């Protein structure tokens, strides 16, 4: 039911933003940002469940807790970056949205390289 509530809230906000966009564009942007943050906060339980499952999977793979933090940070960066991209696109700033995407991808790649090295080392031990 959370998804239904989020959809209804976002649809109502979209209608308000559409009505305000020409007369008060700054108010439309403020409403869009506020509702986006509210929707994100409403998904906190789902995000916690995802992190719990990821911890289980990482534990089953016998990887250290640092990897759990790594995955959690990557998910957080992904969510924040997507929110920023959508806000920039709403403000018709597609170039800025592209820079956010690029920065998020490069940051996550840099974060994932130690994990990729660890996986490669584990695989090389299996083949020896």
């Amino acid at each position: 039911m959370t998804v239904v509530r989020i959809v209804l809230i976002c649809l109502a906000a979209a209608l308000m933003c559409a009505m305000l966009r020409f007369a008060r564009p700054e108010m439309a942007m403020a409403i869009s940002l506020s509702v986006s943050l509210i929707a994100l906060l409403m998904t906190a339980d789902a995000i916690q469940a995802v992190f719990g499952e990821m911890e289980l999977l990482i534990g089953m793979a016998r990887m250290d807790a640092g990897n759990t933090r790594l995955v959690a940070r990557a998910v957080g960066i992904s969510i924040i970056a997507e929110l920023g991209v959508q806000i920039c696109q709403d403000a018709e700033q597609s170039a800025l949205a592209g820079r956010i995407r690029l920065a998020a991808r490069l940051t996550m790649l840099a974060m994932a390289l130690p994990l990729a090295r660890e996986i490669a080392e584990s695989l090389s031990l299996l083949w020896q």
Side-chain angles (χ1 to χ4, degrees), residues 32-85:
S32 176
L33 180 59
S34 300
V35 172
S36 297
L37 292 174
I38 289 169
L40 185 61
L41 291 174
M42 289 175 71
T43 61
D45 291 338
I47 292 170
Q48 268 186 328
V50 168
F51 286 144
E53 288 298 318
M54 283 191 305
E55 260 183 36
L56 271 171
L57 290 172
I58 289 173
M60 289 170 59
R62 295 188 181 133
M63 298 172 102
D64 64 3
N67 294 331
T68 304
R69 286 190 300 269
L70 177 81
V71 172
R73 281 190 213 140
V75 169
I77 288 171
S78 173
I79 291 169
I80 291 168
E82 183 62 25
L83 181 62
V85 164

Side-chain angles (χ1 to χ4, degrees), residues 3-19 21 31-32 35-36 39:
V3 173
V4 173
R5 280 184 261 165
I6 291 171
V7 169
L8 291 175
I9 289 169
C10 289
L11 286 175
L15 290 173
M16 284 192 290
C17 288
M19 290 186 298
R21 186 149 329 265
I31 290 170
S32 176
V35 172
S36 297

